[in-house]
Amino acid sequence: MGVCFFYINFEGGFKLDNVIVAKFGGSSLADSKQFLKVKDIIKSNSNRKYIIPSAPGKVHKGDHKITDLLYMCYQLASHRLNIDDVYNIIEKRFLDICSDLQLELDIQESLDHIKEKIQMGSSKDYAASRGEYLNAIILSNFLDFNFVDSKDVIVFDDKGEFDSKATEIKMKEKLKNIDGAVIPGFYGAKSNGEIVTFGRGGSDITGSIVASSLDCKLYENWTDVSGFLMADPTIVDTPRPIEVITYKELRELSYMGAPVLHEESLFPVKNKGIAINIKNTNAPEHAGTKIVNDKYPIENTESITGIAGKKDFTVIAIEKTRMISEKDFLRKLITVLETNNISIQHMPSSIDSISLIISASQLNSKLDKVIEEIKIYCNPDSIIAYPNMALIAVVGRGMIRTKGISSRIFTALSQSGINIRMITQGSSELNIIIGVENIDFDKSIASIYKAFEK
């Protein structure tokens, strides 16, 4: 096992070498059996010093997440309705965990206090955050770690915006003499003590902030999957796991719909160059996926990192002779979309043509209006809309230095009888975007994956 070293930096704070910040999600801490797994994981490596728990998730498919129940209690209380039936479910979950783990902890006092505050009209954020708060108290007792309330170290300003500089100062000051702490995820507080929660992926964000504030070696994110997969497992049978992925590659796959971490949970550690390791609480022996700095060496240039895509786009194809000689052509074109509150996903072009690739959900019933306005302002030679299109991103840093990647992709699609409607590649050459019809989406992803399977 590793050793933890503390040393003073030149700014008068402290830095932690070899220390790991570990966040455990709701499924990892849903019941006492999961708590036992988490304890084994933490105790197996003495470098795991700072632990960020989520609220308990579902124990089984028909179960409820504790945070959802707390939101329900808030809604009932805000309408002056009785919350007993719902709150009793919350109480039982936490009391059962404490009883099963044989903890000498009076969690009932905290449960009673929280119930009273919700009934008296506490804020929505306060109610929602109590699952993480209670789980952190239980976990700190179970691990014999210190409990550090997030309201004392995660700072929001008076407008409810996260204050990274103030948080870093408070975090370092609070933890500098604490060798092992459990810090609840999902929330912080304003200077007046008012609780403020993060949005989606709140505990992931907290873990990232703690790791960044302490300049730690590694941020582990423990969940119920063994990292990311090269392709959607509902389309491809048992796709290979991604062992290493850079922040840029992750953003490309995320943008195209792959289920990855929320962006806000990446930025704090990305800015410090701290690696993230996605691990499975139920299979801790699995290496998981490591998210690394974009300068990390490329190990396998013969393959790609991953494939992801989305359906339901519309392509508006515009042709106009000597289009590029009209200096205001693009401005007029983009102004039409801007005034209609429409975002462009991609915009491939040639000397006399340009295509606008737009999500069908953005267009809704605006297509005819947009086409008419483009005709008026841009006077194109022709304009045609192609609905029911899908976009597929093939992502990998190795593509820029490896011959034959594109050939393998297009050969695989051709051999599967798939008609490619569009091809575009960014200047970074990090990905290739392929347009196909919706009906060919699944077949396309499966064909491309097969071409790089080995």
Side-chain angles (χ1 to χ4, degrees), residues 225-339:
V225 295
S226 298
F228 305 136
L229 301 173
M230 277 188 65
D232 186 342
T234 65
I235 297 173
V236 175
D237 290 334
T238 60
R240 289 207 323 263
I242 299 173
E243 294 180 4
V244 178
I245 188 169
T246 64
Y247 288 106
K248 282 185 179 179
E249 290 172 311
L250 190 69
R251 278 177 57 78
E252 292 288 346
L253 290 171
S254 174
Y255 176 70
M256 291 305 293
V260 296
L261 293 176
H262 192 273
E263 277 191 351
E264 294 299 322
S265 69
L266 297 176
F267 291 136
V269 286
K270 179 180 182 293
N271 293 338
K272 293 286 185 75
I274 299 168
I276 304 175
N277 200 0
I278 310 299
K279 299 273 285 180
N280 189 343
T281 305
N282 302 313
E285 70 284 354
H286 194 286
T289 299
K290 185 168 281 190
I291 307 168
V292 298
N293 188 285
D294 298 320
K295 296 180 180 179
Y296 191 87
I298 302 171
E299 296 180 357
N300 184 6
T301 60
E302 297 300 316
S303 187
I304 59 175
T305 300
I307 311 161
K310 293 179 182 177
K311 293 182 180 180
D312 299 322
F313 289 91
T314 295
V315 178
I316 301 176
I318 302 163
E319 291 187 9
K320 186 171 187 181
T321 304
R322 303 187 68 182
M323 178 183 73
I324 59 172
S325 66
E326 294 187 28
K327 296 181 174 61
D328 60 351
F329 183 86
L330 286 178
R331 177 180 58 79
K332 290 177 180 178
L333 185 60
I334 292 171
T335 297
V336 170
L337 298 170
E338 183 181 357
T339 55

